[in-house]
Amino acid sequence: LNKIDELQEVLIAGSFERPTSTDCMDIVSPVDGKLIGTIPICASATVEHAAESAQEAQEEWRLTHYTERYELLQKAADLIEANKETFAKELTWEQGKPLGDSLIELEGCIGYFRGAAEDIKRLETGFLPIFDPKKRVITVRDPIGVIGVITPWNFPWDIPCFNIASILASGNSVILKPAEQTPLSGLRLIQCLQKAGFPKGTVSLVQGVGEVTGEAISSSNLIDGISFTGSTETGRAIARAGSSNLKRLCLELGGNGPMIILDDADLDIAVADVALSCFWNSGQVCNAGERILVQEKIHKEFLEKVLLEAKNHKLGNPFDEGVTMGPMNNEEVALKTDRHIENAKEKGAKILLGGKRASGFPTNLYFPPTVIDGVTTEMLLNKEETFGPVCPTITFEDMDDALRITESSKYGLQASVYTRSIKKAFYMAERIRTGTITVNEANNFWEGRLPWGGVRASGMGRVGGRYALEQYTEIKTIIFDLSKS
Ligand code: NAP
């Protein structure tokens, strides 16, 4: 792949342009260390310009008939579909995931646009009872207005599409700021939306770094809501900045998913799911298996099996056939993984597999599957989100002990429980405080039409299918007095 000159462009008021007098930054591929392109770091003036045009667009766009939005969303899906192979290659180049996984990510995005187009046709409104017999009441759902979408680098196509499809379907305007590490996927998506014919100003793209461009979005008084996916720390900064004009916030934040394996579980199923949840996308997944809680009686057998399973995961060039793990995306996330492993070693945990970066690759970001035993609640691997290809094993005595360990982390995104007993499954599922729990299914199980979101440090708000339409709209109550007209 060659350097992409268009990365310097942003979309504002319906035209692609190159902002002048802004700082710039080079974007380098984690796969081969080569330059992908240079992005502008858009400052407040550029963001405000985008926000003004998005507000202007709102006047008409929010009132368009849903059939018009349906057509545009379907056209966007067609354009993504027509170019999915090229987009998948670019995604792998800038993010580092295996090419097959990139293609699956693109397929999902086509589904989000088609799904949102269908959902908006079926969005129900209400006809409410009221005490006064002379009155009638209906409720409708109004768009929030202009929504800033700030996204991370781990799913650079999926996360923007997952949110933007529903945001546009429900009549909002959108300003996207992709992660600085993966600006190309964001650019390609916005080019598709522009080509599909969304009216001027309904869709904008700005590029840059979080502290400048992201901060300008969260603090702009012309922006009505934020759809943020990223770390808990950034989520807090956005909530503070967004309070200036009481923005409607949807915060999809970090996780520290416990996978709890009770001693009556089908161990082969559990082990395969653990390896998938810990190593897929090199563990850079919000609902990855971050902590593997294993009941004492099956601990030894679990370790033997998980080591065999981990060895089936192949690290290598993500463009090569058979490779299941490419490089990690960036030095910062790899350093965090190094730090968490070092902390566990210092506190007495044992590295059974991997544990440090692999040599002999074009960049220093290739990290092998890592299995660690003897992890305790004091270790960073248990308390914080690691976001690397690590399977840290913690043993527990009984279900209440497993619940105590689960609660020793502040996050509440997704958890999983493995057992053959429906009674035990319910005991755990009713007590664990997370947005989602899977029973005998991988922690990183994902279905884009189900309600998605976290509790506690994992965020607020629910997206996914019709839940996203509710998230990105507000109920308006209309009262008719039949006696006065
Ligand atoms: P991040 O550092 O929080 O960055 C996410 C986005 O926020 C990026 O676009 C970033 O910009 C921007 N940003 C950074 N500082 C900002 C600020 N002060 N104001 C406004 N925007 C700012 O997260 P990440 O490292 O990219 O992504 C990994 C995290 O995302 C993990 O914690 C993961 O669990 C979470 N995640 C959650 C979900 C979910 O659905 N719950 C899904 C995927 C990922 P720059 O990158 O350009 O600096």
Side-chain angles (χ1 to χ4, degrees), residues 117-430:
E118 292 299 332
D119 286 339
I120 199 64
K121 289 200 293 194
R122 294 172 177 80
L123 185 67
E124 286 182 15
T125 54
F127 186 81
L128 304 187
I130 182 167
F131 283 126
D132 183 344
K134 295 190 291 304
K135 292 194 170 64
R136 300 290 182 271
V137 180
I138 61 167
T139 54
V140 295
R141 298 206 74 103
D142 258 7
I144 304 294
V146 176
I147 300 193
V149 178
I150 302 177
T151 51
W153 46 261
N154 61 339
F155 292 94
W157 262 94
D158 183 284
I159 293 170
C161 290
F162 180 51
N163 290 287
I164 288 175
S166 306
I167 288 171
L168 289 171
S170 44
N172 300 283
S173 308
V174 64
I175 301 173
L176 172 66
K177 189 210 91 66
E180 68 194 61
Q181 297 88 349
T182 52
L184 183 52
S185 300
L187 170 70
R188 294 303 188 217
L189 165 63
I190 296 297
Q191 285 174 334
C192 288
L193 298 180
Q194 162 86 339
K195 231 179 181 172
F198 282 90
K200 175 180 159 183
T202 46
V203 174
S204 309
L205 172 74
V206 292
Q207 300 276 17
V209 299
E211 296 74 30
V212 179
T213 318
E215 160 67 27
I217 291 175
S218 4
S219 56
S220 168
N221 286 334
L222 292 173
I223 294 177
D224 306 294
I226 299 281
S227 160
F228 172 71
T229 309
S231 65
T232 299
E233 199 188 1
T234 307
R236 286 198 188 100
I238 286 175
R240 278 193 296 273
S243 67
S244 61
N245 65 333
L246 294 181
K247 284 187 183 63
R248 170 79 165 262
L249 296 179
C250 178
L251 302 177
E252 304 296 344
L253 310 180
N256 191 6
M259 298 183 74
I260 302 167
I261 306 166
L262 301 180
D263 58 15
D264 69 336
D266 182 322
L267 210 47
D268 289 329
I269 290 177
V271 161
D273 284 357
V274 163
L276 180 71
S277 301
C278 293
F279 306 136
W280 184 61
N281 208 20
S282 296
Q284 303 163 120
V285 183
C286 54
N287 58 353
E290 286 263 334
R291 306 180 281 159
I292 313 305
L293 279 57
V294 184
Q295 198 155 7
E296 275 164 354
K297 199 171 127 197
I298 54 165
H299 173 220
K300 192 162 165 275
E301 194 188 352
F302 170 82
L303 284 180
E304 285 164 8
K305 284 181 185 271
V306 91
L307 280 168
L308 286 177
E309 188 72 31
K311 286 174 189 159
N312 292 331
H313 285 258
K314 190 174 171 217
L315 178 70
N317 183 325
F319 287 103
D320 288 351
E321 194 88 14
V323 164
T324 60
M325 284 170 54
M328 296 187 77
N329 177 260
N330 59 73
E331 181 59 21
E332 200 182 324
V333 71
L335 271 177
K336 182 147 77 120
T337 304
D338 294 340
R339 201 167 62 246
H340 284 197
I341 293 174
E342 217 34 58
N343 169 274
K345 273 177 16 194
E346 276 164 19
K347 290 185 175 345
K350 263 204 199 127
I351 312 294
L352 303 183
L353 186 72
K356 60 177 192 315
R357 305 194 203 192
S359 53
F361 288 101
T363 69
N364 191 28
L365 294 169
Y366 289 76
F367 213 112
T370 293
V371 178
I372 307 182
D373 189 31
V375 173
T376 60
T377 47
E378 293 73 45
M379 296 176 189
L380 292 174
L381 283 170
N382 175 64
K383 290 197 286 199
E384 300 294 330
E385 179 185 50
T386 303
F387 229 53
V390 184
C391 168
T393 311
I394 309 178
T395 52
F396 65 88
E397 284 171 29
D398 53 24
M399 287 193 288
D400 289 331
D401 193 27
L403 289 170
R404 179 190 61 80
I405 297 167
T406 298
E407 283 287 311
S408 64
S409 162
K410 63 189 177 218
Y411 294 99
L413 190 60
Q414 186 150 341
S416 52
V417 178
Y418 288 82
T419 175
R420 285 188 168 92
S421 155
I422 193 127
K423 194 172 162 190
K424 289 182 182 176
F426 267 99
Y427 186 86
M428 299 299 282
E430 285 171 358

Side-chain angles (χ1 to χ4, degrees), residues 439-461:
V439 178
N440 297 327
E441 176 54 274
N443 203 72
N444 58 5
F445 175 81
W446 167 260
E447 155 66 67
R449 302 183 60 72
L450 301 179
W452 173 250
V455 297
R456 302 194 287 155
S458 293
M460 58 175 78

Side-chain angles (χ1 to χ4, degrees), residues 28-77:
V28 171
S29 165
V31 179
D32 54 15
K34 294 202 175 124
L35 182 69
I36 296 177
T38 302
I39 58 164
I41 301 177
C42 297
S44 184
T46 311
V47 169
E48 288 298 283
H49 187 191
E52 275 162 24
S53 88
Q55 283 292 356
E56 268 170 41
Q58 264 300 286
E59 284 172 28
E60 284 185 24
W61 177 242
R62 64 196 292 276
L63 298 173
T64 47
H65 196 254
Y66 69 83
T67 50
E68 192 178 323
R69 287 184 244 144
Y70 175 93
E71 293 299 332
L72 291 168
L73 292 160
Q74 292 287 10
K75 264 191 212 153

Side-chain angles (χ1 to χ4, degrees), residues 87-117:
F87 293 158
K89 278 186 201 147
E90 292 179 342
L91 164 49
T92 289
W93 196 35
E94 73 171 356
Q95 202 281 337
K97 67 182 64 183
L99 186 55
D101 291 345
S102 294
L103 208 48
I104 292 170
E105 185 165 336
L106 262 307
E107 300 277 3
C109 295
I110 299 161
Y112 295 145
F113 278 93
R114 301 217 192 283

